[in-house]
Amino acid sequence: MFAALFGSVEQGIIYAIMALGVYLSFRVLDFPDLTVDGSFVTGAAVAATMIFFGYHPAAATAVALVVGFLAGCITGLLHTKGKINPLLSGILMMIALYSINLRIMGVTSDNSVGRPNIPLLNAETIFSKFQAFWGNLGIDAALNNMLGAIGIQHLPSTWGTLILMAILTLIIKFAADWFLQTEVGLAIRATGDNKRMIRSFSANTDNLVIIGLGISNAMVALSGALIAQYAKFSDIGMGIGMIIIGLASVIIGEAIFGTKTIVRTTLAVVAGAIIYRIVLGLALRIKLLDTGDMKLITAVIVIAALVMPQFIEKRREGRRKVKRHAERMAALEAAKNKEVETVAEARTD
């Protein structure tokens, strides 16, 4: 059980970066960007291809981020300059990226133009590089001995991946918090809330949408690059349903932790991604369910995350109504008693 939870948390932290990108487009910009399903694979394809040719994993990851940014910008251009519906802009870019991703991975093949996957089993990744340094610190043995002493079995071979991703995800989370409180970030938030209002202040909403979608897909592509290195392969189908996973993470996090401030909301999104992977991992341990049921489980989780907050809010509203009614009745009863006392005093006089 502990090993399954540990793996879910590891993956959840990596997917949290993608969820932050989805939050930026869907919540901040109010833009239903379906480019995510394509840009996630683009990040994985670029990173895997560069690692295949011997480039440093960090450089490959950085290039994947830049390519994801460009993909998001193109979606923004289709919408703002081409005057194409936001939903259709994302769909068109997602479809285009499918062929582009095949071409990118096809660079590694001499026999065909396109290639559906790239294995990285023996390749150096950003995780293997970090683990080579981490393993010399002796922290893994200390943590495993401590957990083993309290009876926990099936301990992970290394904590390096979890620590590295926790640091990287927190850096990106805090960078997003800072950016959304800058002048440009505030303008992007205002664009998502009310384009007409921000235009009245002579702001160029087209550029703001393009920048916002670029940053959003840069995060998504970065997550894809890290997942490819974590799983040791890149595949053309690994981005299918990614937008649903991102939305599930955002919705779960917001429902549990709230959205009072940007700092709290981005933290909720990160936590939502981890909770989603944990719930998914636990659900797959049920004997009746199989890995082929992942999409069904995801749909059920999203439906529950959407319905439960409404149900909870209705119950809270019902309790508030009952409390207000009881307070009014108590006030009326107190007024009646006071009136009776006043009449009784008047008669006595």
Side-chain angles (χ1 to χ4, degrees):
M1 177 64 75
F2 181 81
L5 288 174
F6 184 86
S8 297
V9 172
E10 268 188 346
Q11 294 180 46
I13 293 177
I14 302 175
Y15 280 111
I17 300 173
M18 181 270 298
L20 286 170
V22 172
Y23 164 75
L24 183 59
S25 60
F26 270 81
R27 284 289 191 260
V28 177
L29 270 177
D30 193 25
F31 191 104
D33 184 20
L34 297 185
T35 311
V36 170
D37 282 16
S39 59
F40 185 86
V41 183
T42 301
V46 170
T49 300
M50 291 187 67
I51 290 172
F52 180 88
F53 283 115
Y55 288 92
H56 194 282
T61 305
V63 172
L65 185 148
V66 173
V67 174
F69 178 82
L70 293 175
C73 288
I74 294 172
T75 301
L77 286 169
L78 290 175
H79 169 61
T80 57
K81 307 304 181 183
K83 305 301 179 185
I84 300 175
N85 177 275
L87 192 61
L88 185 56
S89 299
I91 293 173
L92 290 171
M93 193 60 201
M94 176 184 67
I95 293 171
L97 284 175
Y98 184 88
S99 297
I100 293 171
N101 294 334
L102 285 173
R103 288 273 185 171
I104 291 172
M105 290 189 286
V107 175
T108 63
S109 175
D110 297 328
N111 302 322
S112 62
V113 175
R115 184 175 179 179
N117 53 64
I118 299 176
L120 298 173
L121 295 176
N122 299 318
E124 286 287 331
T125 66
I126 196 170
F127 298 111
S128 61
K129 292 279 189 183
F130 182 78
Q131 286 167 9
F133 158 77
W134 177 263
N136 297 325
L137 301 179
I139 299 176
D140 287 335
L143 289 173
N144 287 340
N145 289 336
M146 182 176 64
L147 292 173
I150 59 178
I152 297 177
Q153 299 178 344
H154 305 294
L155 297 170
S157 59
T158 179
W159 292 73
T161 300
L162 180 64
I163 299 300
L164 174 63
M165 284 314 309
I167 294 170
L168 183 58
T169 301
L170 286 175
I171 290 172
I172 293 171
K173 176 250 187 299
F174 290 129
D177 294 340
W178 169 81
F179 173 74
L180 290 173
Q181 294 177 34
T182 62
E183 185 176 346
V184 176
L186 289 170
I188 289 175
R189 290 162 62 185
T191 300
D193 287 336
N194 193 326
K195 279 189 178 182
R196 287 187 178 182
M197 181 199 73
I198 195 66
R199 282 196 190 113
S200 67
F201 293 105
S202 301
N204 191 325
T205 56
D206 288 355
N207 289 344
L208 293 171
V209 169
I210 293 169
I211 292 171
L213 291 177
I215 295 173
S216 169
N217 283 279
M219 292 183 184
V220 173
L222 173 61
S223 179
L226 293 171
I227 284 292
Q229 295 175 69
Y230 176 83
K232 290 284 189 175
F233 74 93
S234 170
D235 186 84
I236 194 65
M238 66 193 302
I240 297 174
M242 203 53 58
I243 187 63
I244 301 299
I245 295 174
L247 282 174
S249 303
V250 172
I251 293 166
I252 291 169
E254 290 180 344
I256 296 175
F257 301 101
T259 59
K260 288 186 177 180
T261 64
I262 287 294
V263 174
R264 182 172 177 175
T265 304
T266 52
L267 183 61
V269 171
V270 172
I274 296 171
I275 293 170
Y276 167 78
R277 298 307 303 188
I278 291 174
V279 172
L280 189 64
L282 293 176
L284 290 175
R285 291 179 67 86
I286 300 173
K287 293 182 179 180
L288 294 175
L289 298 174
D290 190 63
T291 53
D293 299 320
M294 284 184 63
K295 303 303 179 185
L296 175 62
I297 297 169
T298 298
V300 171
I301 293 172
V302 173
I303 291 169
L306 288 169
V307 173
M308 286 302 293
Q310 299 178 37
F311 177 74
I312 294 169
E313 185 58 32
K314 284 183 179 179
R315 292 198 63 181
R316 287 177 180 171
E317 184 61 28
R319 291 197 195 99
R320 284 194 289 265
K321 286 181 178 179
V322 171
K323 186 178 179 180
R324 286 196 296 266
H325 179 71
E327 289 173 351
R328 284 196 298 267
M329 293 302 294
L332 287 172
E333 189 67 27
K336 286 180 181 179
N337 292 336
K338 188 174 182 180
E339 185 178 350
V340 170
E341 290 175 1
T342 303
V343 171
E345 289 175 0
R347 285 178 180 177
T348 303
D349 294 340

